[in-house]
Amino acid sequence: SSGINAEWPLRPGGYPGRTTQTPAQLVGDQGDPGIPGAKGITIDVTYVQSKIYAFHSQRKEPDACPSGMTKIREGYSFLFFDSSTGSKHGIPLTDPGSCMINFNVQPVMECSTDTCEIKGDDTSIWMPIGNFTKGNTISEELPTKELVIIPEDEKTADNQGDLELIKSYLSRCTVCDSPSSVMAIHSFTNNKPSCPNKWEQLWVGYSFAMAVDRAGGVGEQLQGHGSCLKYFTPQISVRCIMSGATGYPTCHFQSQSQKTAYIRANNFESDGKMGTLDENLEESISRCVVCRRIPDIAL
């Protein structure tokens, strides 16, 4: 016998022998430094802090986005909808969803297991303009009659409907991309508050809490800028219904069911009831300011 293990083929120079050293004794010298690594990814701070907001003008024209913000789109100021089955949903004015690209009497459709449908007494609630001439009544600023929307295939030379007239009295809105946060501050008095350090003022307004019409409504979170309206008006909603008295879709700018809730000024004393033309009415409403954090200043 040659003494060679058949499982180990012959190899020039032989195989490494075994060692009795421990792993710690086998550690070699420190190697040379490696080459520099690739440059890391730079995070765009503006992108990371980006916020999407809706801004409502309460006028016939949409406002431009505040300085430093980028416009995404324009639309019509939408508040909420309700249906004959009891479904209802409101969208805070701060949210981009409250700025509908198009006006539609009923922008939603209800679906059950078997059907999807729009019913005649389904309603939608929109926000009207609010930049009224001081001293004017709501009837002098908004339509008093029921305005009718005639389908395109039923229009005649004598009856074109009131769609364009309705749209001209709706508040317009703009959705903007902001590089920093926006918030509202309420004084709960009739004194105008100011923005804190490192924040800048966008506008001063009136503290708005909630709008209700028929069986639905929408409330505003007081830290959101949708709770600070630029213009004070007792009428904050327009109710549109799929099938009005004429059988066609209609809109009511002076719905008897509408209610608007503002924050009361704690420093104003009254007997608890005031007329909408009372010269001291606005003094009874809390004032607010909308502020934006200055983007290039670290908190």
Side-chain angles (χ1 to χ4, degrees):
S1 173
S2 63
I4 298 176
N5 190 330
E7 296 179 359
W8 291 78
L10 294 176
R11 175 184 174 188
Y15 292 89
R18 296 181 179 179
T19 180
T20 59
Q21 292 178 297
T22 64
Q25 294 173 318
L26 294 175
V27 176
D29 297 331
Q30 178 72 36
D32 295 330
I35 62 175
K39 185 176 180 181
I41 298 174
T42 301
I43 297 177
D44 187 341
V45 177
T46 300
Y47 172 78
V48 172
Q49 296 180 347
S50 178
K51 310 285 185 180
I52 308 298
Y53 295 117
F55 295 94
H56 302 268
S57 68
Q58 293 182 266
R59 299 182 297 106
K60 298 179 180 180
E61 305 84 16
D63 285 338
C65 290
S67 176
M69 297 188 190
T70 303
K71 185 175 79 171
I72 297 176
R73 58 179 172 81
E74 297 175 351
Y76 296 87
S77 302
F78 179 74
L79 291 172
F80 60 94
F81 74 87
D82 61 7
S83 71
S84 58
T85 62
S87 300
K88 55 179 73 81
H89 181 64
I91 303 178
L93 294 174
T94 302
D95 293 354
S98 66
C99 186
M100 291 282 192
I101 296 178
N102 299 309
F103 167 73
N104 193 316
V105 171
Q106 181 53 296
V108 299
M109 175 186 294
E110 279 194 317
C111 294
S112 63
T113 305
D114 302 318
T115 60
C116 292
E117 61 182 330
I118 300 174
K119 296 186 177 180
D121 57 351
D122 287 354
T123 63
S124 61
I125 312 296
W126 304 76
M127 186 163 69
I129 60 173
N131 58 332
F132 300 157
T133 301
K134 193 172 182 61
N136 279 4
T137 64
I138 293 177
S139 297
E140 291 176 299
E141 297 283 354
L142 296 176
T144 57
K145 67 175 184 176
E146 183 180 62
L147 299 183
V148 181
I149 300 174
I150 305 295
E152 286 295 328
D153 59 352
E154 296 185 37
K155 288 182 178 180
T156 66
D158 298 326
N159 188 3
Q160 292 290 307
D162 302 311
L163 177 59
E164 294 305 317
L165 181 61
I166 292 170
K167 291 164 66 173
S168 72
Y169 282 101
L170 295 179
S171 167
R172 300 300 302 276
C173 52
T174 310
V175 175
C176 308
D177 186 352
S178 173
S180 61
S181 298
V182 175
M183 68 174 178
I185 298 174
H186 303 268
S187 69
F188 295 92
T189 70
N190 52 26
N191 298 317
K192 299 174 183 178
S194 58
C195 293
N197 187 32
K198 300 177 183 178
W199 293 71
E200 60 182 340
Q201 176 181 307
L202 295 183
W203 72 81
V204 174
Y206 299 87
S207 301
F208 169 60
M210 181 175 62
V212 178
D213 200 320
R214 205 172 81 159
V218 59
E220 299 296 327
Q221 295 182 339
L222 295 184
Q223 78 270 22
H225 63 268
S227 67
C228 189
L229 296 182
K230 295 178 181 178
Y231 302 101
F232 168 76
T233 168
Q235 176 81 30
I236 201 66
S237 63
V238 178
R239 180 162 60 90
C240 298
I241 186 168
M242 282 301 298
S243 181
T246 62
Y248 293 115
T250 60
C251 291
H252 302 260
F253 279 80
Q254 298 188 44
S255 167
Q256 297 303 307
S257 302
Q258 81 87 29
K259 302 291 181 184
T260 305
Y262 287 92
I263 303 299
R264 183 172 62 88
N266 293 332
N267 62 339
F268 183 85
E269 295 184 2
S270 71
D271 59 5
K273 188 175 183 179
M274 304 177 70
T276 55
L277 291 180
D278 193 307
E279 61 181 11
N280 295 320
L281 179 59
E282 292 188 13
E283 293 297 311
S284 69
I285 306 298
S286 167
R287 301 305 301 274
C288 53
V289 63
V290 174
C291 309
R292 175 178 61 177
R293 189 177 71 81
I294 300 175
D296 58 350
I297 294 182
L299 292 177

